[in-house]
Amino acid sequence: MTLTSDGNDSGDRVISKETSFSHQANRVITVRAVQFNLPVSVDRHWVRGSPFKTHLFNSLHLTLPAVEYWMVRHVQSRLKHITASPLRQNVRGFILQEAQHAEQHAQFGEILRQQGYELKACLKMEDWILTSLQRLDWRLNLAAIAGMEHLTVLLSEVVLASDLLAAAEPTLKAMLEWHALEEIEHKAVAYEVLQTVSQNYLLRVAGLAIGCAFVLGLLNRCTLTLLYQDRCLWRWSVWREMGQFWLTKEKMLLRSVPHCLWYLQPNFHPAAHD
């Protein structure tokens, strides 16, 4: 992938000094040279034999590349307007990390195709959403990216702190854990880039709403689509595991509420919580 700036408007603010919101200035974002060599064949239910957990993470593998490239384009377009050295360095790290995420996850689509899944429905929906977003103001796109990154950090914490991926296929498990680690590592970057553009509170709120709707809507839609194609959608065990993930065990949905309320606090900054 070639990383290029797609430019933007002429009236942008140029940040030439450290600002009060740059809490992550002393953090180093490490760009790791990685290459996951996926196995030739993968069990159909590669997460503990669980259709729900498998298709939840299948959906992530499938949809992440386009989302990551969208993030890279919009964040990189701001790089030339940021002159504060620590933030500029972190933005470069963010761009390279996200580009690697996209490249590594893009390998997985072929595995799903070999297993007989029809992927057009999920990918077409994702393409429609991203195309629609890019028709909106570029500031709102940045706000949506910051909001999406906030929710992604919560999912990353759940992945790393729970047994969701216990006994999963080792290479795919390692890829997801590596991705989760780096999401937590660069969790403040998109937000800080947004702050260099606008500190408007309503813009931040709108971005969070779009980010949550995008992540939760697309992830659930693709998971249900793959479960249906796998003829597992109406199994009681699948719905029980789905309820555990969202409500009773990992509590992803219940944890999302305070996580988003924290984002709405006027003095919010991602680095305030380690």
Side-chain angles (χ1 to χ4, degrees):
M1 175 187 178
T2 302
L3 301 179
T4 59
S5 175
D6 53 15
N8 255 310
D9 55 325
S10 58
D12 300 335
R13 290 171 53 194
V14 176
I15 302 301
S16 59
K17 60 182 180 180
E18 289 304 323
T19 56
S20 60
F21 49 77
S22 191
H23 295 289
Q24 196 161 324
N26 60 347
R27 296 180 177 222
V28 176
I29 294 178
T30 305
V31 179
R32 301 164 180 85
V34 297
Q35 180 61 51
F36 293 95
N37 297 313
L38 300 187
V40 176
S41 62
V42 175
D43 287 345
R44 195 170 187 84
H45 300 144
W46 56 271
V47 183
R48 265 187 178 177
S50 164
F52 169 71
K53 291 177 182 175
T54 296
H55 290 309
L56 176 71
F57 289 109
N58 281 349
S59 297
L60 279 172
H61 282 298
L62 179 63
T63 59
L64 278 169
V67 173
E68 304 283 17
Y69 286 138
W70 166 67
M71 289 183 174
V72 165
R73 285 194 301 272
H74 284 278
V75 172
Q76 189 180 28
S77 71
R78 301 304 311 156
L79 186 58
K80 64 184 179 182
H81 301 287
I82 299 172
T83 60
S85 179
L87 179 56
R88 185 176 176 84
Q89 181 180 356
N90 284 342
V91 170
R92 289 185 180 277
F94 173 93
I95 290 167
L96 292 172
Q97 282 188 344
E98 296 289 36
Q100 278 205 114
H101 297 169
E103 291 169 358
Q104 296 301 313
H105 287 289
Q107 305 175 66
F108 192 72
E110 186 54 35
I111 289 177
L112 289 178
R113 291 185 181 90
Q114 289 174 2
Q115 291 180 342
Y117 293 104
E118 173 53 64
L119 308 180
K120 287 182 180 178
C122 291
L123 296 177
K124 186 175 181 180
M125 179 183 179
E126 180 181 35
D127 182 63
W128 179 83
I129 294 172
L130 290 174
T131 301
S132 299
L133 279 174
Q134 292 183 88
R135 292 194 184 108
L136 302 176
D137 187 88
W138 61 272
R139 297 172 186 83
L140 190 54
N141 275 260
L142 280 177
I145 291 168
M148 196 177 301
E149 284 284 287
H150 183 65
L151 192 61
T152 301
V153 166
L154 175 59
L155 179 58
S156 297
E157 291 175 352
V158 169
V159 165
L160 293 174
S162 72
D163 64 351
L164 261 177
L165 291 174
E169 197 287 321
T171 304
L172 295 172
K173 178 175 184 282
M175 184 188 294
L176 288 162
E177 290 178 339
W178 156 76
H179 190 155
L181 169 71
E182 294 197 340
E183 287 298 323
I184 293 172
E185 188 175 63
H186 69 229
K187 65 183 179 181
V189 176
Y191 179 82
E192 291 189 348
V193 171
L194 174 64
Q195 294 293 286
T196 68
V197 171
S198 172
Q199 298 181 44
N200 183 286
Y201 180 75
L202 292 179
L203 180 64
R204 191 212 305 179
V205 172
L208 179 64
I210 293 172
C212 287
F214 187 0
V215 172
L216 298 178
L218 185 62
L219 186 61
N220 279 296
R221 165 66 187 276
C222 288
T223 301
L224 294 174
T225 298
L226 293 174
L227 282 167
Y228 176 78
Q229 292 185 29
D230 201 17
R231 300 182 180 180
C232 297
L233 181 58
W234 303 117
R235 291 184 187 176
W236 165 244
S237 60
V238 166
W239 287 88
R240 184 182 68 246
E241 286 193 335
M242 197 181 303
Q244 289 173 344
F245 176 74
W246 292 111
L247 298 172
T248 62
K249 187 178 179 182
E250 287 79 23
K251 301 179 181 178
M252 182 65 189
L253 185 60
L254 297 181
R255 293 177 65 178
S256 296
V257 175
H259 193 67
C260 290
L261 290 177
W262 173 46
Y263 191 83
L264 299 179
Q265 293 179 4
N267 62 346
F268 166 81
H269 191 281
H273 168 67
D274 264 334

